[in-house]
Amino acid sequence: MTRPDDLPEWAARLLADYERHLAHERNLAPHSVRAYLGDVADLLDHLNRLGCHNLDEADVRTLRSWLAKQQSLGRSRTTLARRATAARVFTAWAAANAHARADVGSTLKSPKPHRSLPATLSDHQTAQLLEVSLERAGEGGPAALRDLAVVELLYATGIRVGELVGLDVDDVDLERRLVRVLGKGRKERSVPFGIPAGEALEGWLVRGRSGLATPASGPALFIGVRGGRLDSRTVRALLRRLLAEVEGAPDMGPHGLRHTAATHLLAGSGPAQRAGDPGALVAGHYADLHPCDDRAAAHGLSTGSPRGPESRLSFWFPTAAWLQRRPRRRPTDADVRLGTRLPQRSRRRRCPAEKGVRGQDRGCAWPDQEA
């Protein structure tokens, strides 16, 4: 990875301006800023090695040669697609802020990444994992109660480990069973959880947290044995220790539990939740796993998993039918100024024979009715 200190002066200034744009104008998370800067720094180093002294001396062939170099180094197609996106975003910003005369990356194409299902736990393995956590909580002390609440909340909500360790006590509403999460881009959302996760959280807050809390704990929901806020690495080590006691479980971290929650949710939602679902958790690669497919049985997934309050997977995402019943949005000032045409909703159901005919009543019947 190229360090900013290794870049020439013109590239280092450009990278510093781009860092301020990502951190303060786009308000990206620190990990996202670090990833973007790493890709852009490598691109600027490649331009410098080719003899370029500014972005105006680069073109799309230069960017393609950078991607070709990455491919020769053994980078995966997913990495190449990410770096191509980073290059396009960077050159667009440079052109918009007078750092370059033209956006040379606008025509840069991304390689299509390979799509594969991530490693997940089956229904049986998930039940074993939660049973192990419950047994430890019954026999152990405050740390065991905390571990149970961590595992239950991760699986019940599907939140990221960084979002989990960033929670405060006031972010949890036990009465309504909601947790307020600050996600990527510092966007806030509320995620519901079921009764099992609520009972585990209540046990931790009532009987466990006071045993580990110190004046330095502050409002943190989950704290470590020394009283500080729980670290992401501690959660990863905890989950790996628990998974070691589950027969046949893959070696994965907290994000694997997020994939497990999304896969189980999709497998229990029926054929209507096929590809194109707008749910935040069900990404495109989950559409390859359908409840009616043999691969769902191979993963040990049942097609009728309950999603009520008593279920661990109680969170809900909108179906395509529900989205169609939402009221259409009102035109904004920008829509009026730009002349944007919003999609119109049909006011009545029309007979198939009426399609393309307006103002006429053909007296036709539906297929399941008599004329």
Side-chain angles (χ1 to χ4, degrees), residues 168-354:
D168 293 335
V169 175
D170 294 339
D171 292 332
V172 178
D173 188 344
L174 291 176
E175 183 179 354
R176 298 167 59 196
R177 291 198 298 275
L178 286 175
V179 58
R180 185 172 62 243
V181 178
L182 192 64
K184 286 187 174 181
R186 296 182 176 88
K187 296 179 181 178
E188 187 178 286
R189 69 185 189 276
S190 294
V191 185
F193 52 84
I195 291 177
E199 293 175 347
L201 282 171
E202 185 176 5
W204 158 244
L205 291 173
V206 174
R207 304 190 305 274
R209 190 178 184 277
S210 58
L212 298 178
T214 64
S217 299
L221 175 62
F222 295 113
I223 55 181
V225 293
R226 297 183 180 179
R229 186 180 291 272
L230 193 65
D231 188 73
S232 300
R233 290 172 294 183
T234 305
V235 179
R236 293 189 181 94
L238 158 68
L239 193 58
R240 286 193 167 93
R241 286 198 306 268
L242 295 175
L243 287 174
E245 302 184 26
V246 178
E247 183 180 358
D251 183 19
M252 64 184 192
H255 208 74
L257 207 55
R258 173 177 166 87
H259 288 310
T260 298
T263 306
H264 291 183
L265 181 65
L266 178 61
S269 58
Q273 302 301 329
R274 194 63 170 144
D277 192 281
L281 280 176
V282 185
H285 45 251
Y286 294 114
D288 293 334
L289 183 63
H290 193 263
C292 300
D293 198 340
D294 293 337
R295 286 173 293 177
H299 278 69
L301 304 179
S302 62
T303 59
S305 302
R307 290 190 288 132
E310 284 117 13
S311 170
R312 286 188 165 90
L313 283 178
S314 62
F315 53 90
W316 174 86
F317 54 84
T319 62
W322 182 86
L323 287 174
Q324 292 173 0
R325 288 196 292 268
R326 289 191 303 173
R328 59 186 180 181
R329 69 179 180 90
R330 298 178 180 275
T332 63
D333 294 339
D335 294 328
V336 175
R337 186 168 60 254
L338 298 176
T340 305
R341 297 187 61 185
L342 300 181
Q344 301 293 322
R345 288 175 57 186
S346 176
R347 294 186 176 274
R348 71 180 181 89
R349 190 182 177 202
R350 299 170 62 188
C351 173
E354 287 185 84

Side-chain angles (χ1 to χ4, degrees), residues 39 42-43 63-88 108-114:
D39 293 340
D42 193 78
L43 171 61
L63 302 183
R64 288 172 183 163
S65 68
W66 174 61
L67 292 179
K69 176 186 175 183
Q70 304 299 315
Q71 186 178 17
S72 65
L73 294 176
R75 302 291 187 264
S76 66
R77 294 175 66 90
T78 303
T79 301
L80 294 177
R82 190 203 72 205
R83 295 197 169 187
T85 301
R88 284 197 301 270
L108 182 66
K109 302 297 183 181
S110 298
K112 188 174 181 179
H114 294 298

